[in-house]
């Protein structure tokens, strides 16, 4: 079977779906791997390294995808409606497409996949179970995003992070608050602490309190009966009641005004990002403070954040970089490629070296969007 890795063509995307390391292992599974020329250039993975790992280098996307049985992507294929080439049309009917396909944001594209008879798997939907940990792209990419968010804040912040005692006087440590304590939030806490900041954090999930405190940060939340039930079986945050939101917002408002930096990471799958820092809270912050909004692509945790821009409003710098994992593309690509390898390996039959998809498997059931000309995932069925 032929596996293809095309170059990513979406704006702000520097990652690639396979590394020379994973190409070597994919070939070991019995696959013939073709990589489009330049696919890994923005991630410091050059054609020569792929060729040395055993891949065939194709001159363009059409040549790379020609007759491919499996296509690995970072982001979903471009469409003509988005001003790009129709990448899906280059994939042969019956092939498997695996990547971060944005099923909630691009539901209309699911019908196109089905019409073209593609087997599509969305890596964002990998379930949070022990067996799938090595496949969890949201965790691998969010971990790097949390780290990068603190560095982006440090670039914009006009002061130092750690306390410094000098002959000219003492510099107080920066105060950093992390809003949303998932994988990105925990890494942001750890990074800010390593830089010497005084860190606090908030989340509506009760399990995060111990995690925050184990990293040496202070946990900030309204702790009541609703808070104790505010987590799904999959580990995601539940939507909270309006009464709880008001209480929590009042507490956060009092805390935020004392902070130098706020890192916002809160997301709810398939829904707009919750507003955690209002315009009034921004007004209350000290001049020169910084907000990094990792949720900006889903509406933002602060309504003043602007996608793809760094802006100053009410004396506060708001950082709204898009696709933050791509801003640390070398490591993000290496981890994402390993996630894909871990996902694909059990789907390759050891005897025939062909795809063997068990629709009853928990991981397949969670990630399979389209198959046999039908949209099969309930979350994206119209």
């Amino acid at each position: 079977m032929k596996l293809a890795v095309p170059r990513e063509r979406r704006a702000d995307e520097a990652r690639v779906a396979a590394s020379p390391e994973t190409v070597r292992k994919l070939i070991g599974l019995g696959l013939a791997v073709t990589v489009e020329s330049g696919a890994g250039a923005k991630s410091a993975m050059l054609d020569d390294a792929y060729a040395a790992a055993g891949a065939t280098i194709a001159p363009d996307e059409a040549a790379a995808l020609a007759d491919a049985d499996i296509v690995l992507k970072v982001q979903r294929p471009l469409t003509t409606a988005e001003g790009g080439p129709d990448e899906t049309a280059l994939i042969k009917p019956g092939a498997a497409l695996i990547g971060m396909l944005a099923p909630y944001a691009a539901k209309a594209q699911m019908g196109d996949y089905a019409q073209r008879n593609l087997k599509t798997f969305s890596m964002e939907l990998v379930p949070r179970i022990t067996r799938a940990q090595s496949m969890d792209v949201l965790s691998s990419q969010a971990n790097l995003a949390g780290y990068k968010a603190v560095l982006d804040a440090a670039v914009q912040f006009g002061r130092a992070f750690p306390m410094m005692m000098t002959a000219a006087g003492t510099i107080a440590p920066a105060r950093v608050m992390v809003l949303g304590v998932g994988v990105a939030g925990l890494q942001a806490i750890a990074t800010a602490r390593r830089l010497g900041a005084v860190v606090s954090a908030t989340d509506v999930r009760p399990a995060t309190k111990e995690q925050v405190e184990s990293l040496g940060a202070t946990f900030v939340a309204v702790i009541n009966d609703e808070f104790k039930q505010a987590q799904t079986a999959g580990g995601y945050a539940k939507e909270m009641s309006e009464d709880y939101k008001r209480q929590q917002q009042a507490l956060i408002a009092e805390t935020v005004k004392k902070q130098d930096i706020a890192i916002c990471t809160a997301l709810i799958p398939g829904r707009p990002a919750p507003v955690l820092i209002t315009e009034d809270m921004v007004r209350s912050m000290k001049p020169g403070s910084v907000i990094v909004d990792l949720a900006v692509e889903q509406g933002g945790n602060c309504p003043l954040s602007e996608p793809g821009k760094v802006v100053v409003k009410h004396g506060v710098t708001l950082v709204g970089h898009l696709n933050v994992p791509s801003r640390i593309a070398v490591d993000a690509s290496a981890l994402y490629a390993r996630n894909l390898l871990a996902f694909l390996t059990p789907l390759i039959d050891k005897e025939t070296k062909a795809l063997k998809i068990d629709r009853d498997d928990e991981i397949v059931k969670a990630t399979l969007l389209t198959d046999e000309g039908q949209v099969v995932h309930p979350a994206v069925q119209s």
Side-chain angles (χ1 to χ4, degrees), residues 133-165:
Q133 284 183 339
S134 61
M135 311 171 192
D136 188 351
V137 300
L138 294 183
S139 291
S140 73
Q141 303 304 291
N143 187 54
L144 292 170
Y147 163 79
K148 186 64 172 173
V150 176
L151 299 190
D152 286 338
V155 168
Q156 301 298 330
F157 190 47
R159 290 176 40 210
F161 267 55
M163 180 174 69
M164 295 184 182
M165 301 181 72

Side-chain angles (χ1 to χ4, degrees), residues 8 36 171 368:
E8 297 295 319
E36 182 185 356
I171 297 172
L368 186 65

Side-chain angles (χ1 to χ4, degrees), residues 161-235:
F161 267 55
M163 180 174 69
M164 295 184 182
M165 301 181 72
T166 75
T170 299
I171 297 172
R175 303 186 70 87
V176 175
M177 185 173 192
V178 177
L179 296 94
V181 189
V183 174
L186 289 170
Q187 184 56 248
I189 293 168
T191 303
R193 287 274 297 156
R194 283 195 293 267
L195 290 175
V198 175
V199 184
S200 59
T202 185
D203 197 289
V204 297
R205 294 168 297 163
T208 60
K209 182 177 184 294
E210 185 177 344
Q211 295 170 331
V212 167
E213 292 172 346
S214 73
L215 291 171
T218 302
F219 189 72
V220 179
V222 174
I223 299 177
N224 58 17
D225 288 340
E226 184 176 359
F227 172 80
K228 294 173 184 177
Q229 305 297 323
Q231 187 167 321
T232 68

Side-chain angles (χ1 to χ4, degrees), residues 50-345:
Y50 286 113
T56 299
I57 306 301
D60 54 40
E61 187 174 25
L65 296 178
D67 298 322
D69 302 290
I70 303 169
V71 177
L72 300 185
K73 289 271 294 165
V74 177
Q75 295 201 45
R76 63 188 174 88
L78 273 171
T79 66
T80 51
E82 295 171 309
D86 185 353
E87 292 188 286
T88 309
L90 298 174
I91 305 172
K92 76 174 185 181
L97 170 64
I98 306 171
M100 292 188 284
L101 303 183
Y104 298 114
K107 281 188 179 182
Q109 204 165 356
M110 304 304 117
D112 187 31
Y113 298 149
Q115 187 176 18
R116 296 173 190 268
N117 194 30
L118 300 180
K119 303 179 193 300
T120 56
F121 296 87
S122 187
M123 294 299 293
E124 301 100 312
L125 302 180
V126 168
R128 289 190 163 172
I129 59 176
T130 301
R131 183 164 60 94
Q133 284 183 339
S134 61
M135 311 171 192
D136 188 351
V137 300
L138 294 183
S139 291
S140 73
Q141 303 304 291
N143 187 54
L144 292 170
Y147 163 79
K148 186 64 172 173
V150 176
L151 299 190
D152 286 338
V155 168
Q156 301 298 330
F157 190 47
R159 290 176 40 210
F161 267 55
M163 180 174 69
M164 295 184 182
M165 301 181 72
T166 75
T170 299
I171 297 172
R175 303 186 70 87
V176 175
M177 185 173 192
V178 177
L179 296 94
V181 189
V183 174
L186 289 170
Q187 184 56 248
I189 293 168
T191 303
R193 287 274 297 156
R194 283 195 293 267
L195 290 175
V198 175
V199 184
S200 59
T202 185
D203 197 289
V204 297
R205 294 168 297 163
T208 60
K209 182 177 184 294
E210 185 177 344
Q211 295 170 331
V212 167
E213 292 172 346
S214 73
L215 291 171
T218 302
F219 189 72
V220 179
V222 174
I223 299 177
N224 58 17
D225 288 340
E226 184 176 359
F227 172 80
K228 294 173 184 177
Q229 305 297 323
Q231 187 167 321
T232 68
Y236 294 103
K238 288 183 180 179
E239 183 75 12
M240 305 299 283
S241 70
E242 292 303 317
D243 183 57
Y244 184 89
K245 287 179 182 177
R246 281 192 293 272
Q247 293 181 59
Q248 179 74 353
Q249 191 173 69
L251 177 60
I252 298 306
E254 278 302 306
T255 308
V256 162
K257 68 171 64 173
K258 304 169 188 173
Q259 306 302 309
D260 299 301
I261 293 167
I263 309 288
C264 300
T265 76
L267 290 169
I268 301 172
R271 304 188 64 173
V275 174
L276 302 181
I277 298 181
T278 64
E279 184 168 1
D280 284 342
M281 292 182 195
V282 175
R283 285 196 186 97
S284 76
M285 295 179 75
K286 294 176 284 187
S289 298
V290 177
I291 297 171
V292 179
D293 196 342
L294 290 180
V296 71
E297 292 177 72
Q298 285 183 228
N301 292 146
C302 178
L304 300 186
S305 303
E306 296 186 24
K309 295 181 180 179
V310 176
V311 295
V312 178
K313 298 181 181 180
H314 306 302
V316 176
T317 300
L318 294 106
V319 180
H321 292 310
L322 300 173
N323 196 357
V324 174
S326 183
R327 290 167 52 77
I328 187 166
V330 176
D331 286 334
S333 294
L335 295 181
Y336 181 69
R338 290 173 193 162
N339 291 145
L340 288 180
L341 174 67
F343 180 82
L344 187 56
T345 297

